[in-house]
Amino acid sequence: MNFSSHTLHSPVAVFDSGFGGLTVLRALREQLPEEDFFYFADTRYFPYGERPAEFLRARCVAIAQALQQAGAKALVIACNTASAVAAEAIRAAVNVPVVALEPGLKPAVELSRNGRIGVLATQRTLESERFQRLLASYGAGKEIFGEACTGLADAIENEGPNSSKVAALLDRYVTPLQAAQVDTVVLGCTHYPWASLQIAQRLSPGTQLVDTGAAVARQLTRRLQAEQRAGGGQGRLLAGTSADPAALADKLERLWGASLPLVFWAPQAVAADVRPCVS
Ligand code: DGL
């Protein structure tokens, strides 16, 4: 598979462990409607949140290199977990712009009135050095309550945000934040915005939820402009998965709210036939 055979012209490649990063893709498309995008869900290795950091680094570097080799002009790591453990390794391994995510602690600190902030994220994200640095930079003098939401991304992706499994997990993870009287909650995993309604229902009215999709889109816009890589696309969109596309097409359509072409793609499978897009 190469991008040009799917009529994508030097797309921005966006990747996540699964379909959570579509919440970021939505914001990217809103701000950059003329860019072509390739969205990759590494479904075969989903979920990332409980995998060893070493494995994730190697896997994400392989994905990033293959995306660059296939002709991506920029990469967005639409996954807090992958960003937390692999952003530096990815940046060292490719020479296209790389936009990484981090839980929106900085905007949350600015928004919070009572200085009590909840962070919902995966175990890997919360225990990462990157998150510890964020805490040191913005958490001073605030009460930050981190909840490692084991199983939540998986339940959102595989059972849907309205499922009883998601409800039970949210009862477990959000109720302590409510008890801690937070007034701001960071959605520190790209799957969680799919369940923002269900999360908000478990918090006091007026509690602010912080999602970083729009900020990531602004950052990508700046990087593309600064490196003269903006434009040249036609607003085309293609999704890929490292698992069976036929088994996932319905789920993708339900989440995305419209049909979206989905093909098989995986780093090791492209190595033989990649050809960069002609620019
Ligand atoms: N969506 C990913 C994130 O933002 C991770 C979910 C997972 O694979 O555990 O952290």
Side-chain angles (χ1 to χ4, degrees), residues 16-17 20 46-50 78-81 122 125 153 188-191:
D16 179 30
S17 55
F46 177 84
Y48 277 179
E50 291 120 52
C79 174
N80 287 272
T81 309
T122 66
T125 298
C189 165
T190 53
H191 280 74

Side-chain angles (χ1 to χ4, degrees), residues 47-255:
Y48 277 179
E50 291 120 52
R51 288 190 184 276
E54 262 323 302
F55 167 84
L56 286 181
R57 250 189 302 277
R59 178 74 185 162
C60 292
V61 165
I63 291 168
Q65 287 176 323
L67 288 169
Q68 170 178 271
Q69 207 184 353
K73 68 174 178 181
L75 304 179
V76 177
I77 312 170
C79 174
N80 287 272
T81 309
S83 296
V85 300
E88 279 146 33
I90 289 172
R91 287 198 171 109
V94 298
N95 51 26
V96 293
V98 176
V99 173
L101 264 66
E102 63 186 23
L105 199 57
K106 181 172 182 238
V109 164
E110 283 159 12
L111 284 169
S112 174
R113 292 169 304 271
N114 69 1
R116 302 175 75 78
I117 294 160
V119 181
L120 300 171
T122 66
Q123 175 81 35
R124 272 290 157 273
T125 298
L126 291 181
E127 70 188 20
S128 68
E129 266 174 46
R130 206 172 147 103
F131 184 71
Q132 296 309 315
R133 282 200 298 271
L134 258 189
L135 271 183
S137 305
Y138 304 108
K142 312 286 172 195
E143 294 266 26
I144 313 288
F145 302 88
E147 278 290 328
C149 303
T150 304
L152 183 56
D154 194 353
I156 290 172
E157 172 130 347
N158 288 315
E159 319 267 330
N162 288 313
S163 63
S164 54
K165 188 154 179 201
V166 168
L169 289 170
L170 291 180
D171 285 344
R172 189 189 312 163
Y173 299 132
V174 180
T175 310
L177 300 183
Q178 169 67 356
Q181 298 177 323
V182 300
D183 72 353
T184 307
V185 172
V186 176
L187 304 181
C189 165
T190 53
H191 280 74
Y192 304 165
W194 293 122
S196 49
L197 210 67
Q198 291 79 353
I199 292 169
Q201 279 163 357
R202 289 165 171 79
L203 294 162
S204 302
T207 305
Q208 311 178 78
L209 299 186
V210 178
D211 161 20
T212 49
V216 172
R218 286 194 295 275
Q219 172 70 356
L220 176 65
T221 307
R222 280 193 293 270
R223 290 295 303 276
L224 292 178
Q225 279 165 357
E227 307 206 14
Q228 277 139 30
R229 285 170 190 249
Q234 294 190 311
R236 291 208 169 94
L237 184 55
L238 174 70
T241 172
S242 51
D244 176 14
L248 294 165
D250 285 354
K251 189 197 294 180
L252 174 61
E253 187 165 337
R254 249 192 332 274
L255 278 172

